[in-house]
């Protein structure tokens, strides 16, 4: 019985699944977007989002905690270049985002075997969706009435000498 077993096995052994997810996560971090099946994309999302959170925490912590997080991420990814990219450019870009670092967009079915295909991407690196949205300010507005309203002085018109009489 499979009670309480939440992750998708993807029809692979544990070692094959871990290696495949590590390779896909490295590709996602390096290229910022990859095409895969929907099931693999969902499994990859569960795999990579905690790693991105660890990279974000590293920039806000002391060096001891940062080194520990970097080693944990390296044990999962197994690629020095991907870890450097993750802790560098990716963590800077997603610094204030509270979660939800990836987006899955369904693309339709693959021609050969009719598998459901999807594109998984890092949210902050998509220029198409982020171009029309201005940067949000983190200011809060009160629900009460606005502040003092400044009244402008009334404009007084002066008569001119150009009148025809």
């Amino acid at each position: 019985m499979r009670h309480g077993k939440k992750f998708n096995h993807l029809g692979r052994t544990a070692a094959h699944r871990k290696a495949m997810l590590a390779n896909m996560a490295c590709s996602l971090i390096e290229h910022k977007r990859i095409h895969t099946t929907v099931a693999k994309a969902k499994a990859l999302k569960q795999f990579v989002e905690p790693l991105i959170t660890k990279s974000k925490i590293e920039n806000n912590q002391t060096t001891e905690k940062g080194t520990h997080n970097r080693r944990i991420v390296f044990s999962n990814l197994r690629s020095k270049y991907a870890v450097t990219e993750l802790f560098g450019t990716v963590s800077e870009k997603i610094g204030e985002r509270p979660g939800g670092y990836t987006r899955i967009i369904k693309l339709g079915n693959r021609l050969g075997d009719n598998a459901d295909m999807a594109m998984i991407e890092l949210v902050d690196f998509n220029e198409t969706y982020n171009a029309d949205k201005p940067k949000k300010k983190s200011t809060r507005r009160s629900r009460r009435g606005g502040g003092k309203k400044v009244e402008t002085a009334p404009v007084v018109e002066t008569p001119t000498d150009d009148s025809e009489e």
Side-chain angles (χ1 to χ4, degrees):
M1 288 185 282
R2 61 170 310 275
H3 297 300
K5 296 181 178 6
K6 293 190 177 184
F7 64 93
N8 192 349
H9 294 283
L10 300 172
R12 288 161 172 79
T13 61
H16 186 185
R17 185 172 53 251
K18 287 177 187 174
M20 183 189 66
L21 289 173
N23 289 333
M24 289 175 67
C26 290
S27 297
L28 178 65
I29 291 166
E30 290 173 20
H31 301 291
K32 312 302 186 259
R33 165 183 311 160
I34 59 172
H35 293 262
T36 183
T37 62
V38 173
K40 286 181 191 174
K42 288 179 180 178
L44 179 62
K45 185 172 188 162
Q46 288 180 341
F47 181 81
V48 79
E49 291 216 359
L51 302 181
I52 296 174
T53 302
K54 286 188 188 313
S55 75
K56 186 173 75 168
I57 291 171
E58 189 262 358
N59 289 333
N60 300 332
Q61 298 293 329
T62 61
T63 56
E64 298 158 358
K65 187 78 169 179
T67 306
H68 181 63
N69 284 339
R70 193 175 282 262
R71 286 176 177 165
I72 289 173
V73 170
F74 179 72
S75 70
N76 286 320
L77 289 183
R78 307 175 195 143
S79 169
K80 287 182 183 178
Y81 179 74
V83 171
T84 306
E85 181 81 10
L86 178 63
F87 280 78
T89 59
V90 174
S91 66
E92 288 173 6
K93 199 108 176 201
I94 54 109
E96 59 274 353
R97 181 175 288 276
Y101 312 112
T102 57
R103 175 187 297 132
I104 297 175
I105 299 172
K106 295 183 181 178
L107 299 175
N109 295 339
R110 187 162 50 195
L111 286 177
D113 59 355
N114 208 29
D116 289 333
M117 295 300 289
M119 176 180 67
I120 183 169
E121 64 183 1
L122 295 175
V123 171
D124 291 322
F125 288 90
N126 188 336
E127 303 303 325
T128 307
Y129 286 151
N130 297 336
D132 57 345
K133 295 179 185 174
K135 275 285 197 187
K136 273 187 151 181
K137 290 185 180 179
S138 62
T139 59
R140 293 187 58 150
R141 295 188 181 176
S142 174
R143 297 185 78 181
R144 295 183 292 160
K148 292 182 180 178
K149 295 191 178 189
V150 179
E151 294 184 20
T152 58
V155 177
V156 178
E157 294 184 22
T158 58
T160 59
D161 291 337
D162 296 337
S163 63
E164 294 179 21
E165 292 183 25

